[in-house]
Amino acid sequence: MDFGKLQHIDGVDFTLPANHPDTLPLLNQHKTDAKPEVFIGLPVWVNKAWVGGIYPSTMREKDSLLWYAKQFNTIELNSTHYHIPGATTIERWRNSVPADFRFCPKFPQLISHEYALRSTQGLTGEFCEAIAGLENNLGCSFLQLPPYFGPEQLPDLADFLKFIPETIPVAVELRHPDWFTDEEASQKLYEVLEKYNVSTVLTDVAGRRDVLHMRLTTPTAMVRFVGNGLHPTDYSRIDAWVNRLKQWLDNGLQQLYFFVHEPDNTLAPDLAIYLINKMNKECGLKLKVPKKNEQPVQGELF
């Protein structure tokens, strides 16, 4: 992820912001005795550097999704941002993962960026029909809006969200600074999202701390965490997130999708494993912990 990327992170205040005043009250409204669903994953399933690590050394690249789904229970599906997958591809993806795995597809850039949500009913219908083919493996889709999509375009967003079927869960990621500096604009935004039962995306990245607004609009949270090559702050930031997520889970959070990004994502599995272990320990969860393949060292076989 290049958004918010900095060459140097010295001087960045990575302190996790306080909850938005409306977040805990909203969660408490939805509090139930049901066990929350927690999904932690990465933004890709193909990475040659993982072969011999989280993937077997003998793995064929075409089997990457199959092996990825043995380790993680969700994926930030960015490929759908560039093209709408056909039915054959959707079926192949669905048949490669277990029943409890969730795909979180990104809306196509033609919809979100090229047309800025206007006159996109045909494309949107095609996309929603395609991802509905994931059936029970469909998680929360997400709509990433460009930095030039500002508060004056809220009516376009509202009209767009009206068109999304209730069977397609959606979270929205906003990047224009005015959404976060204009209190009236942000309040109107959150009212629209709550009205249509649409979640927010929380992006934790070095160069844009404003997008970490900490406002939930549904009992589903989607977090996109961007690390810095396993810098010590990556771990301290994860520790802070675990504390916050425990609070949210205790207060009624029903679903969590947490995606770990690292530069070229080579080290993303390491931080995700750290997160999963911490969540199990601190939140009393029983998430499956991905395992790395141990490589024999020459001389140790005899």
Side-chain angles (χ1 to χ4, degrees), residues 148-189:
Y148 47 82
F149 191 98
E152 69 281 359
Q153 292 165 281
L154 180 60
D156 295 327
L157 176 59
D159 289 343
F160 179 80
L161 295 177
K162 291 178 189 175
F163 185 72
I164 306 298
E166 292 183 1
T167 53
I168 305 293
V170 183
V172 176
E173 182 183 46
L174 293 149
R175 295 182 168 185
H176 195 294
D178 288 354
W179 291 113
F180 314 109
T181 57
D182 185 331
E183 291 187 12
E184 182 179 357
S186 61
Q187 183 59 33
K188 289 181 178 178
L189 165 69

Side-chain angles (χ1 to χ4, degrees), residues 135-155:
E135 300 177 358
N136 292 333
N137 293 119
L138 175 63
C140 186
S141 63
F142 70 106
L143 174 67
Q144 182 186 87
L145 293 170
Y148 47 82
F149 191 98
E152 69 281 359
Q153 292 165 281
L154 180 60

Side-chain angles (χ1 to χ4, degrees), residues 207-270:
R208 281 292 303 273
R209 304 308 290 164
D210 57 334
V211 298
L212 195 53
H213 51 81
M214 306 308 282
R215 174 62 154 94
L216 301 184
T217 49
T218 74
T220 293
M222 181 179 286
V223 180
R224 305 181 77 215
F225 181 97
V226 185
N228 295 287
L230 300 188
H231 186 274
T233 55
D234 287 2
Y235 295 100
S236 59
R237 290 163 63 199
I238 289 292
D239 291 344
W241 265 112
V242 171
N243 291 335
R244 184 63 54 86
L245 293 171
K246 183 179 188 306
Q247 181 190 45
W248 289 356
L249 290 166
D250 289 345
N251 279 274
L253 186 68
Q254 296 174 5
Q255 259 190 348
L256 168 67
Y257 294 94
F258 197 112
F259 298 108
V260 177
H261 296 243
E262 286 284 350
D264 74 22
N265 289 310
T266 297
L267 299 174
D270 298 81

Side-chain angles (χ1 to χ4, degrees), residues 35-301:
K35 183 180 178 181
E37 296 180 304
V38 176
F39 301 96
I40 297 174
L42 311 176
V44 293
W45 64 64
V46 176
N47 191 315
K48 291 182 179 179
W50 298 345
V51 177
I54 61 167
Y55 294 160
S57 58
T58 56
M59 188 201 76
R60 300 173 299 178
E61 185 170 301
K62 68 177 184 179
D63 295 328
S64 295
L65 176 57
L66 178 69
W67 284 98
Y68 175 91
K70 293 177 183 290
Q71 299 278 36
F72 298 97
N73 64 358
T74 189
I75 183 77
E76 183 184 293
L77 192 56
N78 288 291
S79 64
T80 55
H81 191 55
Y82 304 103
H83 64 274
I84 298 175
T88 301
T89 298
I90 290 287
E91 183 179 12
R92 183 176 73 250
W93 288 347
R94 192 182 67 239
N95 291 335
S96 297
V97 302
D100 60 352
F101 187 91
R102 298 291 181 270
F103 292 91
C104 291
K106 184 188 291 188
F107 274 76
Q109 61 183 352
L110 272 176
I111 294 171
S112 58
H113 289 60
E114 298 296 326
Y115 296 123
L117 308 184
R118 293 183 176 181
S119 304
T120 59
Q121 288 195 357
L123 279 172
T124 302
E126 182 184 350
F127 176 70
C128 289
E129 182 179 1
I131 63 174
L134 292 168
E135 300 177 358
N136 292 333
N137 293 119
L138 175 63
C140 186
S141 63
F142 70 106
L143 174 67
Q144 182 186 87
L145 293 170
Y148 47 82
F149 191 98
E152 69 281 359
Q153 292 165 281
L154 180 60
D156 295 327
L157 176 59
D159 289 343
F160 179 80
L161 295 177
K162 291 178 189 175
F163 185 72
I164 306 298
E166 292 183 1
T167 53
I168 305 293
V170 183
V172 176
E173 182 183 46
L174 293 149
R175 295 182 168 185
H176 195 294
D178 288 354
W179 291 113
F180 314 109
T181 57
D182 185 331
E183 291 187 12
E184 182 179 357
S186 61
Q187 183 59 33
K188 289 181 178 178
L189 165 69
Y190 299 139
E191 289 173 358
V192 167
L193 297 183
E194 286 192 43
K195 178 180 179 179
Y196 294 107
N197 196 34
V198 171
S199 305
T200 53
V201 176
L202 304 173
T203 304
D204 189 341
V205 62
R208 281 292 303 273
R209 304 308 290 164
D210 57 334
V211 298
L212 195 53
H213 51 81
M214 306 308 282
R215 174 62 154 94
L216 301 184
T217 49
T218 74
T220 293
M222 181 179 286
V223 180
R224 305 181 77 215
F225 181 97
V226 185
N228 295 287
L230 300 188
H231 186 274
T233 55
D234 287 2
Y235 295 100
S236 59
R237 290 163 63 199
I238 289 292
D239 291 344
W241 265 112
V242 171
N243 291 335
R244 184 63 54 86
L245 293 171
K246 183 179 188 306
Q247 181 190 45
W248 289 356
L249 290 166
D250 289 345
N251 279 274
L253 186 68
Q254 296 174 5
Q255 259 190 348
L256 168 67
Y257 294 94
F258 197 112
F259 298 108
V260 177
H261 296 243
E262 286 284 350
D264 74 22
N265 289 310
T266 297
L267 299 174
D270 298 81
L271 196 61
I273 291 170
Y274 178 81
L275 170 61
I276 291 169
N277 278 313
K278 291 285 290 190
M279 290 291 289
N280 284 343
K281 180 180 178 181
E282 303 298 332
C283 302
L285 302 178
K286 296 181 180 179
L287 302 174
K288 181 181 177 181
V289 181
K291 294 182 179 179
K292 288 192 171 185
N293 292 280
E294 297 293 335
Q295 297 302 308
V297 178
Q298 187 173 5
E300 287 188 354
L301 298 178

